[in-house]
Amino acid sequence: MIGDYTYSEFFSILAMQGFAGLILFSVFVLMALGLAIIFGQMGVINMAHGEFMILGAYVTYLCSNFVSSYAPALFPIYFFVAMVLAFMASFALGLLVEWAMIRHLYKRPLDTLLATWGLSLVLQQLYRSVFGAREVGVTLPDWLMGSVALTDIVEVPINGLFVMGLTLAITVAVYFIMFRSGWGKRVRAVMQNRVMAGAVGIDTRKVDRMTFGLGCGIAGIAGAAFTMIGSTGPTAGQLYIVDTFLVVVFGGAASLLGTIASAFTISQAQSTMEFFMSGSMAKVLTLLSVVIILMLRPQGLFTLKIRQ
Amino acid sequence: MTHPRFRGAGFRTSRRQLMAGIASISILAATGVPALAQDKPATADVNTTNLAVTDDTVTVGILHSITGTMAISETGSVQAEKLAIDQINAEGGVLGRKIEYIQEDGASDWPTFAEKAKKLLVQDKVAAVFGCWTSASRKAVLPVFEQYNGMLYYPTFYEGLEESPNVIYTGQEATQQIIAGIDWVAKEKGAKTFYLLGSDYIWPRTSNKIARKHIEKLGLEVVGEEYYPLGHTQFNSVINKIRLKKPDVIYAIVVGGSNVAFYKQLKAAGIDMTKEKPLLLTISVTEDEIRGIGGENIEGAYATMKYFQSLDNENNKDFVSAFKEKWGDDMVIGDVTQAAYLGPWLWKAAVEKAGSFDIDKVREASPGIELDTAPEGYVRIHENHHLWSKTRVGHAKPDGQYEVVYETEDLMEPDPFPEGYQ
């Protein structure tokens, strides 16, 4: 016996909390990857990240309504189409925002905070005008709503597994784009030394625009995925933004690997603590630990080695 | 009865009297022989405290959030109050005067609520205010209503532990909502163990405190109690705990957007509420929230409220069709929306009983006011300014509506300060 539990129950707890932690980890990575690209690679603090996610969620909502009204036979697979559309919508809006606003602010990174915060308010109001103030319900295909029973007690939700698979796919894709492609090389060159990159013939403007668009597009996919587990309303994006920044800053802003490591640390810590104490207390302790670690290691878990 | 704080405000009183004098002179000038020619009481008789009442109109305030996070919830209340005002006007108004309203936006921000309340009372001199949703906003405006002697009709079910001469509470207080529901699952469903779960602020915590006391009083057991921050979206851990503890009842008081996450994850984790093992009982999910959650995700859950849109009586059929006619066919009506609708009607009845718009007289006339036409059936105002009302248990259907499976036989007496529950 351990505490109130028998050994078999205790190991079930560990297994279940491990899965819960992995799902939370995937959610964190999905939320934070887009932000880490924009913040880490470009130095732009994008406070409207949550609203880009919600755009993806609304696209999924529209897609689900459209498919169930006009092509109900395709309903079981509409979600994949919805994710592609969500990416495209957020990507396009990202390009537009970069062109209209962000590109004028590259030399004033703190101003991007204010400008994108304003943008987030504008987008929220826009969603409210178009979709109404109430939350909308996104209907999911049945196969996404079940769970897989491993033992009597341990059941793994399929949508959790789906989010995990999606996160893996996107992470691998981002890795290839950023570290194995010519375009990624250009992005990293621009990030390290904008003037020099321009001097060797890289179109820095284009690189910036595409990077911002990519970050926003990933947010859109995350938003589509979150319709499975969270709410879709004009202000729902705000729920995610604090956690997202927490993950990115804790990981070390410029490092994508750091983002993943930090998402893993925070999610496992929180999930373990949540089991042994109440949810609010676990959250407080997580935040407290992050603050203490950041005091000891202000640059975050991982940093790129660059010449100071 | 003059409210003590109001009596103290000497300067303001004398200014009000002066204003009243000016007002009556101007009415004299405008109409020659004031009011006498008409078969309704003279303004000077029904309004001795210089409220915004003319020979033809009376002005009231509507104070809700139409922006910010609470707009989602409070929009329905605003719609219900406007519908009631329209209907009262169509019947000839209150004491022969048409109701006009000034709407202010509390913007989901408690200081703004207080500021706007003061504006409505001091500058607009409204005869009554219909508004607020969260306890935080009510607590913020309470001192304003007491200082400037206004009357607030508050529609939300809430945690109780409050009673003000300046507020009529048209929703349920905690004991009315909680105790009947727990009695029902204990008796009808044979429930023995409960897992309490809620969002982390005053209403869920107080409600769960009352629930726990009552559960233990019945000799039953609470096997877990837990709170998550507002807006929390990851409930996998608590669902795991629920699975381990195997309670008979999940007693869930999660609010707002968190609800969507909670019910979707509960379903995805393989907890099928239609099998009632465990059974889920909530006091925080109305038909409004189900629109976001999705009917298929909450099918089989039970809710304790005093009102459901599906209530089968003539009053409610009229109310639902009038509401949809005014605000659109795709509207759903939740418990609070109905309670908000009662506000203007109760105020009208009290004013007519008092024969005056004066706040003190309306207050005095309020206890005992009854409404046969309430969509929930019948209500009556108690001495403690809360309503006698029935409590019902609804069973969630996949179409997003509740089917009423139980209602208390008699009206439940409101008890905002239950003994031993504080």
Side-chain angles (χ1 to χ4, degrees):
Chain A
M1 294 285 284
I2 300 174
D4 293 343
Y5 306 109
T6 65
Y7 280 110
S8 75
E9 276 178 342
F10 188 76
F11 287 116
S12 302
I13 294 174
L14 289 184
M16 287 191 309
Q17 288 309 100
F19 276 121
L22 278 180
I23 293 169
L24 188 60
F25 162 65
S26 312
V27 169
F28 278 166
V29 171
L30 269 189
M31 291 191 309
L33 262 186
L35 193 72
I37 291 172
I38 292 170
F39 183 41
Q41 316 296 305
M42 305 170 69
V44 171
I45 303 168
N46 184 14
M47 295 298 284
H49 191 72
E51 279 63 40
F52 281 101
M53 282 192 217
I54 295 308
L55 178 64
Y58 275 124
V59 168
T60 311
Y61 164 72
L62 291 178
C63 203
S64 115
N65 279 1
F66 182 83
V67 171
S68 60
S69 317
Y70 295 104
L74 296 176
F75 197 73
I77 53 158
Y78 91 87
F79 205 75
F80 297 97
V81 182
M83 283 194 304
V84 174
L85 291 178
F87 176 84
M88 280 162 40
S90 296
F91 180 75
L93 183 64
L95 295 186
L96 179 71
V97 166
E98 203 276 346
W99 171 78
M101 195 167 90
I102 306 291
R103 69 185 167 126
H104 305 294
L105 300 171
Y106 282 127
K107 295 201 176 87
R108 297 177 283 160
L110 274 183
D111 291 357
T112 60
L113 184 148
L114 212 55
T116 51
W117 183 63
L119 175 68
S120 82
L121 294 181
V122 170
L123 287 176
Q124 279 174 30
Q125 190 52 48
L126 195 69
Y127 298 150
R128 200 173 285 126
S129 308
V130 175
F131 296 100
R134 291 165 201 261
E135 277 148 7
V136 296
V138 180
T139 319
L140 292 169
D142 286 334
W143 64 269
L144 265 172
M145 288 310 294
S147 61
V148 186
L150 297 182
T151 69
D152 283 355
I153 301 176
V154 184
E155 285 201 33
V156 184
I158 289 173
N159 60 21
L161 290 175
F162 185 81
V163 170
M164 278 158 68
L166 180 67
T167 306
L168 188 69
I170 289 177
T171 310
V172 170
V174 168
Y175 171 80
F176 274 98
I177 291 173
M178 299 301 285
F179 296 101
R180 286 289 177 271
S181 75
W183 184 70
K185 223 174 260 173
R186 287 195 287 279
V187 172
R188 285 179 292 137
V190 169
M191 174 193 66
Q192 292 202 354
N193 192 330
R194 186 172 297 270
V195 179
M196 186 65 82
V200 298
I202 295 173
D203 184 348
T204 59
R205 285 205 163 163
K206 194 173 159 204
V207 166
D208 284 334
R209 189 158 307 158
M210 295 305 278
T211 311
F212 194 82
L214 179 69
C216 294
I218 293 175
I221 298 183
F226 292 165
T227 57
M228 293 188 294
I229 49 176
S231 65
T232 306
T235 51
Q238 297 291 307
L239 302 178
Y240 299 114
I241 197 77
V242 174
D243 279 339
T244 311
F245 267 103
L246 187 78
V247 168
V248 171
V249 172
F250 185 56
S255 162
L256 291 177
L257 179 65
T259 301
I260 292 169
S262 117
F264 189 77
T265 318
I266 294 176
S267 62
Q268 289 299 334
Q270 188 162 327
S271 154
T272 312
M273 282 192 284
E274 264 181 11
F275 201 83
F276 295 103
M277 57 192 80
S278 96
S280 287
M281 190 45 106
K283 186 110 196 171
V284 169
L285 279 184
T286 310
L287 282 172
L288 203 64
S289 332
V290 168
V291 168
I292 290 170
I293 293 175
L294 280 179
M295 281 163 74
L296 299 173
R297 209 183 143 73
Q299 69 274 45
L301 288 182
F302 289 78
T303 41
L304 291 187
K305 289 188 185 69
I306 42 171
R307 236 172 262 151
Q308 298 287 338
Chain B
M1 184 179 117
T2 308
H3 197 267
R5 291 202 205 173
F6 179 46
R7 200 187 295 138
F11 162 72
R12 208 163 281 118
T13 314
S14 60
R15 208 190 82 196
R16 281 192 181 187
Q17 284 163 348
L18 181 66
M19 297 292 284
I22 292 170
S24 47
I25 289 166
S26 61
I27 290 162
L28 249 166
T31 56
V33 188
L36 289 176
Q38 300 155 28
D39 57 346
K40 61 186 178 190
T43 305
D45 294 339
V46 297
N47 174 25
T48 62
T49 53
N50 191 33
L51 295 166
V53 179
T54 70
D55 279 358
D56 303 310
T57 64
V58 50
T59 306
V60 299
I62 291 179
L63 176 57
H64 282 287
S65 303
I66 50 166
T67 58
T69 178
M70 290 308 299
I72 299 168
S73 305
E74 293 186 58
T75 305
S77 304
V78 174
Q79 291 172 332
E81 285 153 4
K82 288 183 179 172
L83 173 65
I85 288 171
D86 276 3
Q87 290 177 333
I88 292 170
N89 283 342
E91 284 183 9
V94 183
L95 290 182
R97 287 154 178 87
K98 298 256 160 157
I99 305 175
E100 292 185 341
Y101 59 79
I102 297 173
Q103 187 179 348
E104 290 293 344
D105 179 13
S108 309
D109 177 52
W110 326 139
T112 305
F113 264 97
E115 209 174 281
K116 301 286 187 182
K118 187 172 170 186
K119 185 237 169 202
L120 285 171
L121 295 181
V122 176
Q123 188 181 322
D124 302 327
K125 305 198 182 311
V126 295
V129 176
F130 307 99
C132 299
W133 177 293
T134 64
S135 289
S137 64
R138 187 190 68 251
K139 295 274 187 207
V141 303
L142 199 57
V144 178
F145 276 86
E146 294 190 343
Q147 183 180 355
Y148 298 102
N149 200 29
M151 196 55 116
L152 172 71
Y153 287 78
Y154 174 70
T156 321
F157 45 79
Y158 83 116
E159 67 276 2
L161 309 179
E162 190 182 295
E163 187 183 326
S164 167
N166 296 83
V167 183
I168 302 283
Y169 305 83
T170 65
Q172 290 172 299
E173 47 75 34
T175 67
Q176 284 177 308
Q177 198 179 12
I178 292 166
I179 288 175
I182 289 177
D183 283 342
W184 179 79
V185 285
K187 194 166 159 243
E188 294 297 320
K189 299 285 173 181
K192 301 261 182 285
T193 51
F194 293 76
Y195 200 107
L196 311 183
L197 169 72
S199 293
D200 203 354
Y201 72 104
I202 176 169
W203 179 64
R205 278 190 182 265
T206 314
S207 300
N208 273 344
K209 210 185 237 176
I210 291 173
R212 177 185 273 271
K213 279 265 169 63
H214 193 66
I215 289 164
E216 286 167 358
K217 206 165 98 185
L218 294 175
L220 309 174
E221 196 191 349
V222 175
V223 294
E225 179 171 352
E226 208 162 327
Y227 299 93
Y228 283 87
L230 275 175
H232 192 76
T233 52
Q234 285 296 322
F235 291 94
N236 288 318
S237 295
V238 71
I239 291 168
N240 286 345
K241 284 193 227 182
I242 288 169
R243 205 200 290 286
L244 268 180
K245 301 262 183 169
K246 298 192 178 63
D248 296 334
V249 178
I250 306 170
Y251 196 72
I253 318 184
V254 177
V255 305
S258 288
N259 268 316
V260 181
F262 178 62
Y263 289 99
K264 280 191 172 173
Q265 287 165 26
L266 206 58
K267 180 161 192 213
I271 293 181
D272 185 354
M273 286 179 283
T274 55
K275 290 186 185 137
E276 305 194 352
K277 275 182 182 179
L279 172 157
L280 190 138
L281 183 64
T282 176
I283 58 171
S284 60
V285 178
T286 69
E287 290 88 335
D288 283 315
E289 277 82 21
I290 294 184
R291 286 231 299 207
I293 295 169
E296 71 280 6
N297 293 319
I298 196 173
E299 181 187 2
Y302 291 92
T304 327
M305 311 256 158
K306 66 172 178 171
Y307 174 85
F308 296 104
Q309 189 184 325
S310 65
L311 273 191
D312 190 17
N313 68 52
E314 287 307 313
N315 291 349
N316 189 43
K317 280 177 195 154
D318 293 346
F319 169 60
V320 171
S321 62
F323 195 93
K324 291 194 167 191
E325 193 178 314
K326 185 166 171 68
W327 300 111
D329 259 344
D330 57 339
M331 286 291 150
V332 292
I333 302 165
D335 181 274
V336 183
T337 305
Q338 192 263 165
Y341 176 75
L342 300 179
W345 287 103
L346 290 169
W347 172 71
K348 168 188 153 79
V351 167
E352 287 179 346
K353 183 177 161 199
S356 167
F357 290 102
D358 292 356
I359 303 289
D360 291 334
K361 289 178 183 157
V362 169
R363 172 184 15 256
E364 232 166 279
S366 283
I369 291 286
E370 357 168 68
L371 215 55
D372 288 319
T373 52
E376 64 174 278
Y378 165 90
V379 293
R380 187 165 77 236
I381 303 181
H382 192 277
E383 294 287 335
N384 63 25
H385 278 198
H386 293 69
L387 297 186
W388 292 80
S389 63
K390 289 191 172 184
T391 294
R392 299 176 167 92
V393 176
H395 192 202
K397 298 286 153 207
D399 66 355
Q401 289 292 321
Y402 283 105
E403 181 192 358
V404 181
V405 292
Y406 168 77
E407 64 177 39
T408 50
E409 214 161 281
D410 303 315
L411 296 181
M412 284 189 79
E413 180 170 7
D415 185 10
F417 295 96
E419 210 173 304
Y421 286 97
Q422 280 99 333

